[in-house]
Amino acid sequence: MRIVSVTAHVPYEGVPHAGGQYVLAHLRALLSRGHEVTLVAPAWRGNDDAARRLRAEADVEVILCAPRSTGRVAEWWDIQQIRLFPVRPPRRFHRALVTSAAVRRAVRRADVVEAQWTELGWTIRALRGINPAARHVVIAHDVISQTYERVFATTRPATPARLLAHWRSASVARDERRVYRDADGVLAFSGKDAAYVRGLSAGRRGDVLRPPFPTPANASSEPPAGPPTVLFVGAFFRDVNAEAAHRLIDEIIPLVRRDHPEVRFVLAGAGPSDRMRAAAAADPLLEVTGEVGSLDPFYARATAAVVPLRMGAGLAFKTVDALTRGIPVVSTTVGAEGLMGEGAAEGLTVADDSAAIAAALSGIVADPAGSWRSARTTAAWARAEFSAETFPHRLERALTSAGGPS
């Protein structure tokens, strides 16, 4: 097949966020099946350098689309548009994509036009008239309406922030509904998200595509030797991860240390906040890594993983990654979405209150061998459910059948 993939971020080896890592695995899977892929992206957020790195690795055409207007005023206006219409890409970048002669040529030849992230679904929706015969598929990394419903529910009444939250929640639901209904197929990473898509699209769209996680090399079924270590992984330039890290530092670590003062905590990932770095400087048992080339060494030393997210939506890749490695995980309901009730059990403890999270982590630290034994069944399920070996075939089938006959 000839596939045009419209993405916000050009992926490359070592991209420091889970969404980009998925797009890279997605691209490699298509290429491994012999498909011709043209990657289309806006010329923003480091995509120029990322495109050079990707072209050096893979035989793939990358089309970057730069907007006509630039400068601080244009960037300020981008932010205002995103605040009011979170599902829609900034208008100047959207126009750059849909008016590009190179993009339009690629779309005319395509058998499949796919959008990575719902926001780019808004763009392929505008490209549909160029080649109505092509299958148009949205890969919904997150169902955005869930996030804004949570924001609206937790915003204090009778405040300007609540009025903005109400507008954004309504705007997201309206625009996301349009994107999903106009696509030929929508692929979500969990049954819960697929059901949410079906609700928004009046039952017309919503299929499950489990993302790939490679079976860890040299995975152990026993807890690591050395001091007990709790790991939290995240791209901390994202507000939801930074807020969770601050919560961990302020509320959860002190409670765990009350009973287990020897426990080390590691916050691994790009873009840590100044507050995180300051906390690590004051605490010799708290490590904040910044961007790392590989997370494998940190997982290898982890007694437990924690995912204290309060906001966000969709499948948390950090939770799945730890489960496939056999590491016991303590997560909030947000961090466990798409896993509880779909197979994850003994290896995943769900708690939303900080005291309950701390108690669960203390239980693992007190009996690491028993906790790791309990996690083995969940690890086996996760490795099968999110198999990297079967992913290329599953992806190919999903792209050609999602939403109905090809």
Side-chain angles (χ1 to χ4, degrees):
M1 293 186 293
R2 290 184 295 271
I3 300 169
V4 172
S5 184
V6 185
T7 178
H9 307 285
V10 177
Y12 57 90
E13 183 65 44
V15 61
H17 50 83
Q21 292 162 14
Y22 170 78
V23 177
L24 183 60
H26 182 109
L27 174 62
R28 285 173 172 169
L30 293 176
L31 295 175
S32 75
R33 300 288 289 185
H35 301 301
E36 177 189 326
V37 183
T38 299
L39 210 66
V40 173
W44 65 11
R45 300 174 184 169
N47 276 344
D48 286 336
D49 181 59
R52 285 192 291 272
R53 297 172 69 169
L54 179 63
R55 291 185 186 111
E57 173 194 335
D59 181 18
V60 58
E61 181 184 8
V62 182
I63 302 173
L64 296 183
C65 303
R68 293 179 181 175
S69 57
T70 59
R72 292 184 178 179
V73 172
E75 292 170 2
W76 176 86
W77 186 235
D78 290 346
I79 294 170
Q80 309 318 309
Q81 292 174 75
I82 291 170
R83 292 180 71 195
L84 293 174
F85 303 103
V87 172
R88 308 182 192 184
R91 183 171 177 80
R92 64 190 178 117
F93 287 102
H94 172 77
R95 286 181 58 84
L97 289 165
V98 301
T99 61
S100 163
V103 171
R104 296 173 77 87
R105 282 195 300 271
V107 169
R108 286 191 192 98
R109 297 177 61 247
D111 301 299
V112 174
V113 180
E114 63 173 24
Q116 297 286 347
W117 289 282
T118 300
E119 295 90 332
L120 274 300
W122 189 263
T123 295
I124 70 165
R125 181 172 177 260
L127 292 167
R128 188 178 188 102
I130 299 171
N131 183 358
R135 177 177 287 277
H136 289 67
V137 179
V138 176
I139 317 297
H141 292 224
D142 305 305
V143 181
I144 307 170
S145 297
Q146 297 178 86
T147 297
Y148 285 95
E149 286 175 2
R150 286 175 177 143
V151 171
F152 181 54
T154 57
T155 306
R156 289 181 299 168
T159 63
R162 186 170 179 83
L163 290 175
L164 177 60
H166 179 74
W167 164 264
R168 295 175 83 180
S169 181
S171 166
V172 166
R174 179 195 64 229
D175 288 348
E176 205 163 25
R177 186 177 297 113
R178 291 171 177 171
V179 168
Y180 295 157
R181 285 183 174 178
D182 289 350
D184 295 309
V186 180
L187 302 175
F189 293 150
S190 72
K192 177 182 180 296
D193 281 1
Y196 211 102
V197 169
R198 288 193 288 273
L200 285 169
S201 64
R204 294 168 59 186
R205 303 289 178 262
D207 295 281
V208 178
L209 173 66
R210 289 298 203 183
F213 286 80
T215 300
N218 304 317
S220 174
S221 59
E222 302 294 334
T229 300
V230 176
L231 176 66
F232 177 38
V233 169
F236 295 110
F237 50 77
R238 293 190 62 203
D239 290 345
V240 293
N241 289 324
E243 189 276 337
H246 299 161
R247 177 193 189 189
L248 181 67
I249 291 166
D250 295 341
E251 302 176 17
I252 298 169
I253 290 178
L255 294 175
V256 175
R257 293 261 181 82
R258 188 174 60 191
D259 297 323
H260 301 279
E262 77 284 9
V263 177
R264 296 178 67 252
F265 284 82
V266 177
L267 281 60
S273 66
D274 292 341
R275 186 172 165 193
M276 292 167 62
R277 292 189 183 279
D283 182 350
L285 295 180
L286 173 62
E287 179 181 0
V288 174
T289 69
E291 185 173 342
V292 296
S294 172
L295 291 168
D296 290 345
F298 301 96
Y299 279 116
R301 295 194 295 268
T303 311
V306 64
V307 187
L309 297 172
R310 278 192 279 218
M311 301 301 293
L315 184 72
F317 282 28
K318 56 179 70 69
T319 308
V320 180
D321 203 358
L323 291 176
T324 61
R325 297 170 187 265
I327 302 171
V329 179
V330 179
S331 171
T332 59
T333 301
V334 172
E337 280 190 351
L339 296 169
M340 294 303 296
E342 296 190 29
E346 293 91 344
L348 178 60
T349 301
V350 178
D352 290 306
D353 178 76
S354 293
I357 294 171
L361 290 172
S362 294
I364 295 171
V365 170
D367 181 19
S371 299
W372 279 63
R373 280 195 301 271
S374 297
R376 289 175 191 168
T377 301
T378 304
W381 168 81
R383 291 169 187 172
E385 186 78 359
F386 296 90
S387 167
E389 288 73 22
T390 64
F391 179 69
H393 174 69
R394 292 189 287 113
L395 171 60
E396 185 178 67
R397 184 176 59 191
L399 287 177
T400 56
S401 63
S406 59

